[in-house]
């Protein structure tokens, strides 16, 4: 019995330490949610504005000559994969990698420690990823696409739907597509729409990568908060169950000791 109670004490102590850890990580994630949601909102506004501008430009027939609207047939695809720097966020990272595994003949450009580790590339932080970092990646990707080194460019990121729901998503970025039925605005481009488009695409790809990073990070902290809350509830339940088992084992040990003492004392009448 004593060995059983000792093992239960150790399990209770270990589970209590886990509970404290999950609480701490949950509080850290909660502190980042507000800031990440503000960045997410701004990124969505920026992305929406750029989408409208690109839609107007690509509706111009002259822009069909742009190398960024060209169709290549190399059979190669490049995918920017955005994951987290850490785990303990439920299925956040796993869902991203599951979607990436469905892409055939794709070269992956990972962002986030977990993605970099998975694809054997140098570490690039997703939490501390800057607009300048996005510009470096975008410039290289745009230059390679213009030279016809690959057919399509996409971004796998996690779309923030709500604090409880996030979804791994693939967004295609290049080549640019003309939106059928899009009416042309009265805007006048200098020197011309084609030149403006070719100079704007690098900013567009930079903005898309940056926006997807912000969206993914907001999803990550929300997923981690939910995961830590769930883990904390499970740890509390386990502590309660272990405490009940410990009390029963301790009560059983005391009862056994009393029984042994009574049995060892013999019959008092025989001692007279």
């Amino acid at each position: 019995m004593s060995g059983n109670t000792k093992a239960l004490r150790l399990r209770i102590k270990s589970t209590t330490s886990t509970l404290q850890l999950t609480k701490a990580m949950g509080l850290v994630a909660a502190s980042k949610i507000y800031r990440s949601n503000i960045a997410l909102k701004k990124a969505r506004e920026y992305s929406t504005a750029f989408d409208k501008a690109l839609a107007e430009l690509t509706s111009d027939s002259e822009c069909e000559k742009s190398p960024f609207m060209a169709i290549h047939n190399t059979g190669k695809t490049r995918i920017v994969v955005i994951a987290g720097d850490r785990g303990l966020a439920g299925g956040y990272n796993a869902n991203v990698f599951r979607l990436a595994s469905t892409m055939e003949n794709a070269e992956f450009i990972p962002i986030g420690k977990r993605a970099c580790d998975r694809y054997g590339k140098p570490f690039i932080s997703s939490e501390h990823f800057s607009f300048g970092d996005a510009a470096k990646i975008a410039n290289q990707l745009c230059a390679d696409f213009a030279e016809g080194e690959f057919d399509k460019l996409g971004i796998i990121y996690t779309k923030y739907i709500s604090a409880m729901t996030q979804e791994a998503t693939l967004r295609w970025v290049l080549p640019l597509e003309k939106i059928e039925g899009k009416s042309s605005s009265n805007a006048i481009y200098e020197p011309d729409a084609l030149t403006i488009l070719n100079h704007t695409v690098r900013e567009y790809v930079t903005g898309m990568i940056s926006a997807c990073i912000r969206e993914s990070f907001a999803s990550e902290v929300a997923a981690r908060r939910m995961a830590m809350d769930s883990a904390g509830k499970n740890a509390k339940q386990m502590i309660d169950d272990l405490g009940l088992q410990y009390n029963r084992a301790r009560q059983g040990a005391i009862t056994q000791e009393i029984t042994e003492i009574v049995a060892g004392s013999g019959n008092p009448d025989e001692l007279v």
Side-chain angles (χ1 to χ4, degrees):
M1 284 292 184
S2 60
N4 190 26
T5 56
K6 182 178 180 181
L8 287 169
R9 281 200 304 269
L10 290 175
R11 289 188 64 188
I12 292 173
K13 183 177 180 181
S14 174
T15 308
T16 301
S17 298
T18 301
L19 176 60
Q20 293 173 347
L21 176 62
T22 58
K23 281 184 176 180
M25 294 190 68
L27 290 173
V28 171
S31 69
K32 295 179 179 180
I33 287 177
Y34 178 73
R35 177 172 55 87
S36 65
N37 282 346
I38 292 177
L40 167 62
K41 182 179 179 181
K42 292 180 178 179
R44 283 182 173 178
E45 292 174 352
Y46 183 86
S47 177
T48 300
F50 236 126
D51 284 339
K52 291 180 179 178
L54 263 293
E56 292 291 346
L57 283 167
T58 54
S59 66
D60 192 307
S61 59
E62 187 69 18
C63 288
E64 294 180 8
K65 301 176 184 178
S66 171
F68 300 108
M69 295 187 71
I71 304 299
H72 306 302
N73 294 301
T74 64
K76 298 178 182 178
T77 303
R78 290 191 186 177
I79 305 290
V80 177
V81 180
I82 302 170
D85 291 343
R86 292 177 293 277
L88 299 177
Y92 171 76
N93 291 314
N95 292 336
V96 168
F97 297 143
R98 189 178 298 112
L99 179 57
S101 67
T102 64
M103 306 303 300
E104 298 180 356
N105 299 323
E107 177 185 347
F108 297 113
I109 298 93
I111 298 175
K113 186 177 186 302
R114 291 302 173 108
C116 293
D117 290 345
R118 185 178 183 87
Y119 298 112
K121 298 293 180 68
F123 169 54
I124 302 176
S125 173
S126 57
E127 181 175 355
H128 304 290
F129 195 82
S130 67
F131 195 83
D133 296 328
K136 292 179 182 178
I137 295 176
N139 288 338
Q140 185 62 55
L141 289 171
C142 288
D144 291 346
F145 182 84
E147 293 175 3
E149 294 190 12
F150 60 95
D151 299 340
K152 299 175 72 176
L153 171 64
I155 303 175
I156 292 179
Y157 69 105
T158 304
K159 184 177 181 180
Y160 182 92
I161 299 174
S162 69
M164 299 181 66
T165 308
Q166 304 83 36
E167 181 181 0
T169 305
L170 170 61
R171 175 169 183 168
W172 293 111
V173 180
L174 293 176
L176 300 176
E177 296 182 357
K178 181 177 180 178
I179 301 177
E180 297 297 334
K182 177 67 179 179
S183 60
S184 179
S185 68
N186 295 323
I188 299 175
Y189 302 104
E190 290 290 344
D192 55 70
L194 177 60
T195 302
I196 297 297
L197 176 64
N198 289 339
H199 280 80
T200 303
V201 168
R202 287 174 173 80
E203 292 295 328
Y204 169 69
V205 176
T206 299
M208 291 305 100
I209 294 175
S210 182
C212 290
I213 287 283
R214 304 293 176 260
E215 185 119 12
S216 291
F217 183 68
S219 299
E220 180 184 0
V221 294
R224 181 168 291 113
R225 173 65 186 276
M226 290 295 297
M228 292 302 99
D229 285 349
S230 178
K233 291 178 182 178
N234 292 337
K236 288 180 181 178
Q237 183 62 49
M238 185 176 292
I239 290 172
D240 290 341
D241 293 342
L242 289 172
L244 183 61
Q245 293 178 37
Y246 173 78
N247 290 333
R248 286 176 177 173
R250 187 165 177 269
Q251 184 178 6
I254 293 173
T255 302
Q256 182 177 355
E257 289 179 4
I258 293 174
T259 302
E260 291 175 353
I261 291 172
V262 171
S265 64
N267 190 342
D269 294 335
E270 296 177 356
L271 300 176
V272 178

